[in-house]
Amino acid sequence: MHPPLTVYQASTHEIGGLFPLLSASPIPAVGARIGYDVLSGGAFYCHPVEFVLRGICTNPNIVVFGEPGKGKSSTVVAFLLRMMLFGVRTLISGDVKGEYTPLLRALGITPIMLGRGSHARLNALDLGPLAARWDSWPVARQREELDGVLGRWVQLLVALAEAQGYTPTVTDEAVLSAVLRRLVGATDGYTKLRPITIPDVQRELANPASSLWTDMRFADRRHFLDHLRSITDALANLISGPLAGLFDEPTNFTLDWDAPVQSMDLSRLRSRGDQAVAVGLTCLGSWSSMVTDLQEDGDLRIVVRDEIWRQMRLGLRAVQAVDSELRLSRAERKIQILVSHKPSDFLSVGSTGSQEVAIAKDLLALCSTRILFGQSTRVADQLADDLALSEKEQQVTTGWANDRQGRALWKLENRTGFKVQTVLSRVEKRLFDTNAQLRKPPVIT
Ligand SMILES: Nc1ncnc2c1ncn2[C@@H]1O[C@H](COP(=O)(O)OP(=O)(O)OP(=O)(O)O)[C@@H](O)[C@H]1O
Ligand SMILES: [Mg+2]
């Protein structure tokens, strides 16, 4: 009996050498072709949703770690450009360094710029597409959507207060929720929604209507004011601080959600300090997730959170917000990509054993695809612990991956990692050149 094997015949003229023990990559050839797997020599593809559908991963989220300049953002760009061919759109949820802007411009898209010299304003409490769709919904749907939005807004305001150093209480949250409901007009018959801004909320807290403090069971106005002083002041600081005018006025631009890639460039916010950037990222995150939630096109979307560590620094609520986005990604057909330098960036949100750290640790579990670029030995030890890397895999991240840009160990859940070299096209290299600033000739005045 002959075994049922395919027989190939070729002369030694065509085949210089044959090594029979190589197997093809078990990763299916679907989605974005990233580069090549150096062990098998075959092309390496990435389609996180297909990974989930084919049982390779349990969730479609991606986390990217690596030292600065190793090619993390470039690989993300290669991925999103190549997923564009499949009609997948991308949102860059806060581009802190303004790196994605030339790419968008080349695609004929104008990114939103916030900060110095820009007139763009984004109301952190923007109703987004909710206002336009409102009238077309039955009352039950209106209530449901509004509850969702109010919940997000409360979380956002709480996170912003935390960024000012005050941790809101449950009473603060209940009052914020009641104030938002009143201001938006949801208590008086659900007819039309009124647009609101953070200063409106702060004013209502500083000068409450008597029905508000009675409804919320405060003994008198003084009792209400004393109890809510800290949250009121935290919101006031936001309005008068370094972010004044950016997130507390009505939104004055429209975003083309049908564009293949959208981005919010925060590079001009950097001069206002790290805190301002982190708060900016939080406002954007909240706003963009609300808006993408309401897109009912059923299309897949990629949400890129580059330099996520900046946002995580804000504390518990900021971490919780990221956590809930990651948990919802399967239901909402989103691929969330978190980019950071090392896992401990996630853990610097609080003290060891704190709730923040516990949630931040879970974030890793919520990202089935881990792309590990070059690391120093010190960080690699921690990486190996957190991601259960074998000794060989750990050596790949400290050795091989460090030798060239674009090299990374792709770890899909608990499978043995793949050594992948991202290959950029000439056009991609030109459009996404994060070293461009270094190359600029000095300006002679
Ligand atoms: N696959 C690649 N092939 C060739 N060159 C690359 C590749 N990936 C990155 N580079 C080069 O390395 C530079 C830095 O890459 P990139 O900005 O993606 O790094 P990064 O890891 O995101 O850095 P940072 O942590 O500072 O954001 C790019 O401008 C590009 O010139
Ligand atoms: Mg980068």
Side-chain angles (χ1 to χ4, degrees):
M1 288 256 306
H2 289 290
L5 294 177
T6 317
V7 175
Y8 293 101
Q9 283 189 330
S11 70
T12 49
H13 178 71
E14 284 150 347
I15 298 175
L18 194 64
F19 183 68
L21 302 179
L22 276 182
S23 59
S25 168
I27 301 306
V30 283
R33 183 155 60 173
I34 298 293
Y36 57 91
D37 173 342
V38 296
L39 280 186
S40 70
F44 187 86
Y45 292 78
C46 176
H47 194 316
V49 172
E50 283 296 324
F51 289 172
V52 176
L53 295 177
R54 296 177 191 222
I56 300 170
C57 291
T58 47
N59 66 60
N61 304 319
I62 302 178
V63 66
V64 188
F65 289 122
E67 284 191 343
K70 296 288 177 200
K72 299 182 294 297
S73 307
S74 304
T75 293
V76 170
V77 163
F79 174 66
L80 67 91
L81 281 179
R82 295 164 198 185
M83 287 302 274
M84 237 163 75
L85 301 175
F86 300 94
V88 180
R89 298 194 195 106
T90 299
L91 175 71
I92 313 289
S93 190
D95 175 10
V96 177
K97 297 193 236 163
E99 292 171 338
Y100 295 83
T101 296
L103 180 80
L104 264 82
R105 293 207 194 284
L107 292 167
I109 305 160
T110 313
I112 305 303
M113 296 240 189
L114 290 170
R116 184 171 38 83
S118 159
H119 299 294
R121 299 285 179 266
L122 168 64
N123 177 9
L125 306 180
D126 195 289
L127 284 162
L130 199 70
R133 308 239 186 105
W134 190 252
D135 289 333
S136 66
W137 285 331
V139 173
R141 174 84 194 264
Q142 289 182 345
R143 276 170 207 264
E144 194 186 314
E145 296 287 356
L146 190 66
D147 283 346
V149 170
L150 290 178
R152 270 192 200 285
W153 283 350
V154 171
Q155 291 308 316
L156 172 68
L157 293 177
V158 165
L160 296 180
E162 256 189 4
Q164 311 288 318
Y166 170 66
T167 307
T169 61
V170 279
T171 311
D172 292 335
E173 286 189 41
V175 171
L176 281 177
S177 177
V179 167
L180 290 168
R181 211 167 260 283
R182 281 163 170 264
L183 288 173
V184 83
T187 47
D188 54 15
Y190 281 56
T191 42
K192 262 263 166 305
L193 294 180
R194 284 191 288 267
I196 58 170
T197 57
I198 294 180
D200 294 335
V201 179
Q202 195 269 340
R203 262 195 303 274
E204 183 72 15
L205 290 174
N207 191 12
S210 57
S211 56
L212 176 64
W213 55 262
T214 41
D215 282 359
M216 298 310 293
R217 306 189 311 285
F218 285 91
D220 53 26
R221 190 168 184 271
R222 186 77 259 152
H223 184 208
F224 178 95
L225 291 177
D226 289 345
H227 206 92
L228 289 141
R229 165 170 282 282
S230 303
I231 182 100
T232 312
D233 291 347
L235 294 184
N237 286 345
L238 210 64
I239 301 164
S240 57
L243 286 174
L246 281 179
F247 298 102
D248 49 15
E249 289 177 16
T251 307
N252 61 359
F253 57 84
T254 47
L255 206 55
D256 175 12
W257 288 100
D258 292 328
V261 190
Q262 259 308 346
S263 163
M264 283 136 223
D265 184 331
L266 294 183
S267 56
R268 296 178 180 189
L269 215 63
R270 278 208 308 248
S271 57
R272 301 199 189 197
D274 274 358
Q275 180 88 344
V277 172
V279 170
L281 281 173
T282 310
C283 286
L284 270 185
S286 163
W287 179 73
S288 56
S289 49
M290 185 183 99
V291 185
T292 42
D293 272 7
L294 289 168
Q295 298 293 311
E296 285 170 330
D297 47 23
D299 287 347
L300 263 184
R301 273 206 162 68
I302 300 171
V303 179
V304 179
R305 295 160 194 271
D306 207 336
E307 311 258 321
I308 182 83
W309 54 273
R310 291 175 190 271
Q311 192 183 338
M312 306 285 272
R313 276 201 205 151
L314 282 184
L316 179 62
R317 301 301 172 135
V319 182
Q320 278 176 337
V322 177
D323 179 82
S324 70
E325 293 301 326
L326 295 184
R327 284 177 198 279
L328 286 173
S329 58
R330 250 178 337 142
E332 293 178 346
R333 298 181 55 77
K334 283 187 200 154
I335 299 169
Q336 301 269 352
I337 307 184
L338 310 185
V339 185
S340 207
H341 294 150
K342 52 189 189 302
S344 61
D345 294 341
F346 286 14
L347 308 183
S348 58
V349 291
S351 51
T352 318
S354 64
Q355 199 185 348
E356 290 92 318
V357 169
I359 301 175
K361 275 192 171 157
D362 276 354
L363 290 183
L364 287 181
L366 293 170
C367 298
S368 284
T369 303
R370 290 93 185 247
I371 311 177
L372 311 175
F373 284 83
Q375 292 284 7
S376 69
T377 322
R378 190 176 47 83
V379 174
D381 285 344
Q382 189 207 350
L383 204 63
D385 280 350
D386 292 339
L387 300 178
L389 299 187
S390 69
E391 205 174 309
K392 264 218 164 78
E393 287 173 329
Q394 190 177 346
Q395 281 164 8
V396 168
T397 60
T398 51
W400 175 81
N402 262 328
D403 290 344
R404 201 159 152 194
Q405 280 150 331
R407 283 184 174 184
L409 180 78
W410 286 60
K411 188 91 179 134
L412 307 182
E413 236 144 70
N414 295 326
R415 280 168 185 267
T416 309
F418 298 94
K419 288 164 78 175
V420 177
Q421 167 76 57
T422 301
V423 179
L424 301 177
S425 71
R426 205 173 332 134
V427 178
E428 285 169 337
K429 267 191 202 151
R430 184 166 49 78
L431 292 182
F432 197 77
D433 180 7
T434 54
N435 292 334
Q437 290 304 109
L438 297 174
R439 278 195 203 100
K440 269 194 182 154
V443 181
I444 300 160
T445 50

